[in-house]
Amino acid sequence: MRRAGDVFGRRGNRQLKQLWGLRGILERLSVALIVLLICCISLFTTFKSTTNRPGIHSGKPVSVDELWETAASGGWRPSSAPRSDWPPPPVETSGYLRVRCNGGLNQQRTAICNAVLAARIMNATLVLPELDANAYWNDNSGFQGIYDVEHFIKSLRYDVRIVETLPEISKHGKSKKLKAHQIRPPRDAPVNWYKTVALEAMKEHGAIYLTPFSHRLEEEIDNAEYQRLRCRVNYHALRFKPQIMKLSQAIVSKLRSQGHFMSIHLRFEMDMLSFAGCFDIFTPAEQKILKKYREENFAPKELVYNERRAIGKCPLTPEEASLILRAMGFENSTRIYLAAGELFGGDRFMKPFRALFPRLANHNTMGLSADELAEGTRGMLGSAVDYMVCLLSDIFLPTYDGPSNFANNVMGHRLYYGFRTIIQPDRKALAPIFIKREKGQTADFEESVRRVMYNREFGGPHKRIPPESFYVNSWPECFCQMNPKNTEDKCPPENVVENLNSRLQSEEGMRSSNMTDG
């Protein structure tokens, strides 16, 4: 027979264990609640700091009137001047650098920026970059035919020495032009490749010729001064020839005389459609042309239209671009400048666009004289005019930003030019909305489009996140603040150019003195 004390003891122990177990559960629950609370606070803080960044719209409606203005700068302004010790190019350089920039006008533009930086890295004298004859435009304008050479050389005098041609050398009593040793640089070559392989070849031969030279220097370099040099080339030194600037300004003045205007880069041409593999919306005869172009110009790859379309890999059609604008609240009186080559598929693709937005213009419909048009809009010159008009427009909308060098360079330039508004559609998020519309499911179509577009950036300063290119977004390296929270963001002194000029003159004075002594 059990004793009462034994029973009580056993029961008490069980109750005590239960109480300790309950206490343990409560303690674990308390810890979990505290962790959850901390996570919520952290998440809220992160969300708040992200959504309050200038230029970022967190799903809130944006009025058309706001979009006609520049984006909020948050106290930032463009600045690509050096902020640390930046010695002038040495009197005696390592040798001469020639490059051949392949691709279209804007791919070549990027290559020129890289060529200047490569010359700086190697302490080389840069020979004026060579531009490939463009097969698509059937154009052989060359650097001198598109850019202001004198301005280019003068603007970069604190950074690199530039000559128009290789010098002549005397050998065995005869004068002949120095021959450059040809090298094919690796794609996205690191800075160290230029400091070793390229530099050694330059010192051995006196001159090297890098060809082809498209995407031959890595973009993300952990050296802010190198990145700022790229910006000085891209946004200051590379100025189009006077007749291109004059024609572009004439077009902008005519458009602006009627109020605000928007520019749209319609990337709906044969080369890009072939590259993207977006064939099914065309006739069998048109598909045959696109597939043939793809076979001749791009690497073989199995591309399924429906799959490509669903993940946003196809350029927006003109109709889709117009539907986005209407959903965002733009009226049919909006003045629109179209920057585009020959649209593939004929005028049937433009009819829906024109029905919604009839006030369309391009450089051929601006009422300019035949001489002005002939002089400034053929081939790559026409692309240069379109570039300037898109840069100066109040709003810019690219229908395909990616791998479109034109759209990417314009977006980067507009950011640097004062955070000018960019409407950049999220094609991947918009694709299912457009696909549903094509199937007849039109309920809430415009509201769905607005939700996607309100979550986009409209041209303000924002962190560069891969795969976004440095040429699309050079913030923060090429920007500064007058009253910064971080010292590295402080704007350089106003007399930075005077200091650079003084150092350059001092260097040149020493060179002249040495030559006289010699």
Side-chain angles (χ1 to χ4, degrees):
M1 185 176 180
R2 293 178 182 172
R3 288 180 299 176
D6 293 337
V7 173
F8 177 79
R10 291 192 184 97
R11 284 179 182 174
N13 286 336
R14 281 201 301 271
Q15 289 174 348
L16 194 61
K17 286 179 181 178
Q18 287 172 353
L19 285 170
W20 278 109
L22 181 61
R23 183 179 177 183
I25 292 170
L26 289 172
E27 284 178 350
R28 287 196 292 274
L29 280 173
S30 299
V31 170
L33 285 170
I34 291 168
V35 171
L36 182 62
L37 183 62
I38 291 170
C39 289
C40 288
I41 292 170
S42 175
L43 184 63
F44 174 76
T45 304
T46 303
F47 176 77
K48 186 176 180 181
S49 66
T50 302
T51 54
N52 283 345
R53 284 184 297 172
I56 305 296
H57 296 273
S58 56
K60 295 179 181 178
V62 183
S63 71
V64 169
D65 288 340
E66 284 182 82
L67 292 173
W68 286 122
E69 304 299 325
T70 57
S73 69
W76 292 90
R77 67 175 179 83
S79 173
S80 55
R83 295 177 211 173
S84 59
D85 185 54
W86 190 254
V91 173
E92 298 298 329
T93 61
S94 304
Y96 292 87
L97 173 63
R98 276 182 67 196
V99 299
R100 180 175 65 83
C101 306
N102 54 309
L105 178 68
N106 289 281
Q107 184 170 305
Q108 291 172 352
R109 187 184 186 100
T110 301
I112 294 166
C113 297
N114 288 339
V116 172
L117 179 52
R120 175 75 190 196
I121 290 168
M122 294 188 288
N123 284 328
T125 296
L126 178 67
V127 181
L128 203 65
E130 301 164 24
L131 306 187
D132 249 1
N134 189 282
Y136 184 80
W137 293 108
N138 191 26
D139 193 333
N140 189 23
S141 298
F143 195 102
Q144 294 89 337
I146 296 174
Y147 296 107
D148 186 331
V149 174
E150 184 181 349
H151 176 79
F152 179 75
I153 295 174
K154 185 179 179 182
S155 296
L156 297 170
R157 64 191 181 277
Y158 309 119
D159 304 304
V160 291
R161 297 194 182 277
I162 303 173
V163 295
E164 294 197 38
T165 60
L166 281 170
E168 289 192 344
I169 58 171
S170 180
K171 196 170 185 179
H172 305 301
K174 294 181 180 179
S175 292
K176 65 176 185 178
K177 188 163 285 188
L178 178 65
K179 187 177 180 181
H181 175 68
Q182 186 170 322
I183 303 174
R184 183 185 181 92
R187 187 178 176 88
D188 298 320
V191 169
N192 193 51
W193 184 87
Y194 288 91
K195 289 182 174 181
T196 54
V197 177
L199 184 57
E200 287 169 12
M202 179 178 287
K203 287 180 176 178
E204 180 182 351
H205 299 280
I208 58 173
Y209 182 33
L210 302 184
T211 176
F213 198 75
S214 172
H215 307 292
R216 302 293 156 167
L217 176 58
E218 61 183 336
E219 268 195 30
E220 292 298 332
I221 299 175
D222 190 21
N223 183 321
E225 292 298 3
Y226 282 174
Q227 300 293 62
R228 282 191 272 272
L229 175 54
R230 276 174 161 155
C231 290
R232 290 199 291 281
V233 181
N234 206 6
Y235 308 133
H236 296 280
L238 280 175
R239 187 168 71 188
F240 294 120
K241 287 181 73 70
Q243 69 265 28
I244 297 174
M245 301 296 282
K246 182 181 177 183
L247 181 58
S248 305
Q249 191 56 58
I251 291 173
V252 170
S253 295
K254 283 195 174 187
L255 290 166
R256 191 148 286 142
S257 67
Q258 303 170 44
H260 291 298
F261 80 96
M262 172 192 302
S263 62
I264 297 180
H265 183 226
L266 276 179
R267 198 64 169 99
F268 204 70
E269 295 129 338
M270 179 171 62
D271 62 329
M272 188 51 67
L273 291 164
S274 297
F275 171 82
C278 301
F279 304 145
D280 289 25
I281 58 175
F282 298 99
T283 65
E286 290 167 343
Q287 289 187 38
K288 187 176 179 181
I289 294 170
L290 290 172
K291 288 175 181 177
K292 183 174 183 294
Y293 187 92
R294 178 171 179 81
E295 288 170 4
E296 293 173 350
N297 293 278
F298 303 110
K301 187 177 181 181
E302 187 65 31
L303 299 175
V304 180
Y305 170 74
N306 291 337
E307 294 175 1
R308 302 285 288 173
R309 176 84 191 285
I311 58 174
K313 293 296 183 181
C314 290
L316 294 177
T317 67
E319 180 181 20
E320 288 169 345
S322 66
L323 291 170
I324 290 170
L325 292 178
R326 186 176 69 175
M328 293 183 73
F330 288 94
E331 299 178 352
N332 65 356
S333 59
T334 303
R335 186 72 165 159
I336 298 174
Y337 180 88
L338 294 178
E342 184 178 352
L343 299 189
F344 190 77
D347 191 56
R348 74 179 188 275
F349 284 100
M350 277 305 299
K351 283 181 180 177
F353 193 118
R354 200 176 290 112
L356 290 180
F357 296 97
R359 299 187 69 193
L360 303 179
N362 60 36
H363 56 232
N364 291 316
T365 62
M366 291 303 301
L368 302 170
S369 69
D371 289 341
E372 285 177 311
L373 288 172
E375 186 180 14
T377 60
R378 63 178 179 83
M380 287 202 292
L381 297 180
S383 181
V385 170
D386 282 347
Y387 183 97
M388 286 306 302
V389 177
C390 289
L391 171 63
L392 298 172
S393 62
D394 298 298
I395 296 173
F396 174 63
L397 186 153
T399 59
Y400 192 66
D401 49 344
S404 173
N405 294 296
F406 181 100
N408 289 339
N409 274 334
V410 169
M411 287 193 289
H413 206 154
R414 286 178 67 87
L415 192 75
Y416 189 85
Y417 201 68
F419 306 113
R420 303 172 83 83
T421 300
I422 300 165
I423 298 177
Q424 192 177 358
D426 183 344
R427 295 191 310 280
K428 185 175 182 179
L430 289 167
I433 301 171
F434 284 123
I435 291 170
K436 284 175 64 177
R437 181 180 179 275
E438 289 165 9
K439 294 177 179 178
Q441 302 172 35
T442 57
D444 300 322
F445 169 76
E446 291 198 345
E447 180 58 34
S448 299
V449 170
R450 281 194 290 273
R451 276 198 298 270
V452 171
M453 295 307 299
Y454 290 157
N455 275 300
R456 300 299 285 165
E457 298 152 3
F458 291 100
H462 61 279
K463 186 177 181 181
R464 185 169 66 252
I465 300 173
E468 190 175 36
S469 163
F470 175 80
Y471 292 97
V472 176
N473 178 13
S474 59
W475 186 88
E477 294 96 330
C478 296
F479 295 82
C480 68
Q481 288 185 309
M482 296 303 294
N483 299 301
K485 293 179 180 178
N486 300 317
T487 54
E488 61 265 26
D489 296 330
K490 186 178 180 180
C491 288
E494 295 295 328
N495 65 340
V496 64
V497 175
E498 292 175 19
N499 292 337
L500 290 169
N501 196 45
S502 176
R503 291 186 67 176
L504 183 62
Q505 287 177 351
S506 175
E507 187 86 7
E508 289 174 344
M510 289 175 63
R511 180 186 185 190
S512 299
S513 177
N514 291 337
M515 289 176 67
T516 303
D517 293 342

